[in-house]
Amino acid sequence: NQADLSEDRTVLYDKATFVDPDNNLALMSELRDALRTNEVSLHYQPKRKTSDGTTASVEALCRWHHPVRGRIGPDLFIPIAEQTGQIRALTEWSIVKAIEDQAAMRARGVHIAIALNVSGRLLVDQAFRTRALQLIEGCDADLIFEITETAVIENPKIAAQAIAAYRAAGVRISIDDYGAGLSSLSYLKMLNADELKIDRSLILDVVESARDRLIIKSTVDLAHGLGMTVVSEGVETAEVFDTLAALGCDTIQGYWVSRPLPFADLVDFMLRSDAESRLALAR
Ligand code: C2E
Ligand code: MG
Ligand code: MG
Ligand code: MG
């Protein structure tokens, strides 16, 4: 019965079934292969300095192009990879890939820091720490770890030790999605970071709402007082960009600056936009 089979297939690839534990196993063994066969790739989204319009760094965001299921977004497979422990292999792969891409850009005369998303669970994983430091050592990489899912940091002491070890190895630390969780202030107390990344949900109404501007302003001042730079994510309009710049945000990321770009388009973007910024400044 052909019809039944194809219906099953539709159900199998339905979004809801990805969170079904019976399907996770299949998907995750496929992910292991996907890392080897280039089905997974890194796209890069620039963060633009408000001071001079040049690119401060780029964030690596992974994409999975599955031969049968099509494009699978990170919002779908990262949570499953975290549950199954595959996140470690994925993140180690992304470190290797980012270092490789950074070296390729250097060869073309473009020096840019690359930010990688590291989940809170991995931050406290000793085996990951050892491997990550091995990968980074001696290869002259300029990396930033964006710590995501800070809500799952159950052991702040080990997290703080890991952060100290990464910073000693020259890796900068960014606190991702700041303000989205409930106890954000306690992360500032326990995590010694270089960058604070304000969550998109906090900046959505910043043009219209004086109250929201006050929240951003005091967050910016707090971060600056603690020696951190501030970046806002998810900025989609010039109005929001200008408002955040006026409130003291050092860096802005979002569709208004650029969508995440395939690596092949990144160097061209950087050469073009940085040249435009310098021209605009000179005017
Ligand atoms: P994130 O680190 O907070 O990344 C920002 C997400 O917002 C990205 O979605 C990005 O494409 C999207 N975004 C950027 N600018 C805008 C904008 O102006 N408007 C809107 N509406 N959205 C914008 P993406 O690529 O789907 O990634 C989702 C999340 O998946 C990331 O959130 C990150 O937490 C996680 N992720 C992605 N790649 C990796 C990875 O390699 N490792 C780990 N651990 N997590 C990853
Ligand atoms: Mg991030
Ligand atoms: Mg974020
Ligand atoms: Mg976010």
Side-chain angles (χ1 to χ4, degrees):
N1 43 45
Q2 285 288 98
D4 283 349
L5 261 183
S6 60
E7 212 149 273
D8 278 348
R9 183 153 295 178
T10 320
V11 172
L12 182 65
Y13 302 136
D14 185 75
K15 183 172 176 164
T17 51
F18 279 115
V19 289
D20 175 352
D22 291 340
N23 252 327
N24 287 354
L25 220 65
L27 190 67
M28 283 306 111
S29 69
E30 289 183 76
L31 177 59
R32 198 170 304 129
D33 293 336
L35 294 175
R36 276 198 296 267
T37 56
N38 291 328
E39 279 170 37
V40 178
S41 66
L42 291 180
H43 284 205
Y44 292 95
Q45 187 174 31
K47 304 182 194 176
R48 175 172 290 169
K49 283 192 217 169
T50 52
S51 59
D52 63 4
T54 58
T55 307
S57 60
V58 295
E59 176 180 12
L61 294 158
C62 61
R63 302 287 179 257
W64 186 357
H65 304 274
H66 191 285
V68 177
R69 303 177 198 222
R71 237 181 289 167
I72 306 174
D75 279 338
L76 218 51
F77 69 86
I78 296 287
I80 301 173
E82 280 177 349
Q83 281 163 31
T84 59
Q86 279 289 99
I87 191 69
R88 204 189 128 186
L90 177 74
T91 308
E92 288 170 4
W93 171 85
S94 68
I95 292 173
V96 172
K97 185 74 185 139
I99 289 174
E100 199 182 292
D101 287 349
Q102 190 168 58
M105 283 193 286
R106 264 195 197 139
R108 294 184 60 183
V110 176
H111 294 244
I112 191 74
I114 296 181
L116 294 162
N117 290 289
V118 176
S119 79
R121 278 181 189 83
L122 270 187
L123 185 65
V124 296
D125 181 328
Q126 304 274 9
F128 171 77
R129 192 213 289 193
T130 306
R131 184 72 189 129
L133 289 171
Q134 259 171 15
L135 292 172
I136 292 159
E137 240 165 43
C139 64
D140 200 23
D142 187 2
L143 300 178
I144 301 165
F145 282 178
E146 291 190 8
I147 309 301
T148 58
E149 295 240 311
T150 35
V152 300
I153 296 179
E154 277 144 23
N155 197 331
K157 213 171 180 177
I158 293 183
Q161 283 168 4
I163 283 178
Y166 290 130
R167 292 181 93 205
V171 176
R172 280 175 281 163
I173 301 294
S174 175
I175 299 179
D176 206 351
D177 300 327
Y178 184 78
L182 285 177
S183 49
S184 298
L185 276 176
S186 67
Y187 306 133
L188 290 191
K189 181 173 156 66
M190 67 194 197
L191 307 180
N192 199 5
D194 302 278
E195 179 183 85
L196 193 69
K197 196 161 186 189
I198 297 178
D199 191 64
R200 172 171 154 72
S201 60
L202 284 189
I203 59 99
L204 287 175
D205 302 317
V206 79
V207 174
E208 298 81 20
S209 164
R211 189 184 160 87
D212 289 16
R213 281 195 298 278
L214 187 64
I215 291 171
I216 298 294
K217 180 77 173 80
S218 54
T219 303
V220 167
D221 291 346
L222 175 61
H224 283 170
L226 291 169
M228 288 185 269
T229 58
V230 179
V231 55
S232 285
E233 66 171 23
V235 174
E236 295 182 350
T237 67
E239 292 73 31
V240 175
F241 185 103
D242 291 342
T243 304
L244 290 168
L247 291 171
C249 280
D250 305 285
T251 326
I252 306 274
Q253 186 185 38
Y255 296 164
W256 191 79
V257 174
S258 171
R259 296 242 167 195
L261 300 167
F263 179 65
D265 299 338
L266 179 63
V267 173
D268 287 340
F269 170 89
M270 299 237 336
L271 294 173
R272 192 166 17 96
S273 80
D274 285 7
E276 278 165 11
S277 303
R278 283 194 197 92
L279 267 179
L281 271 184
R283 258 184 235 129

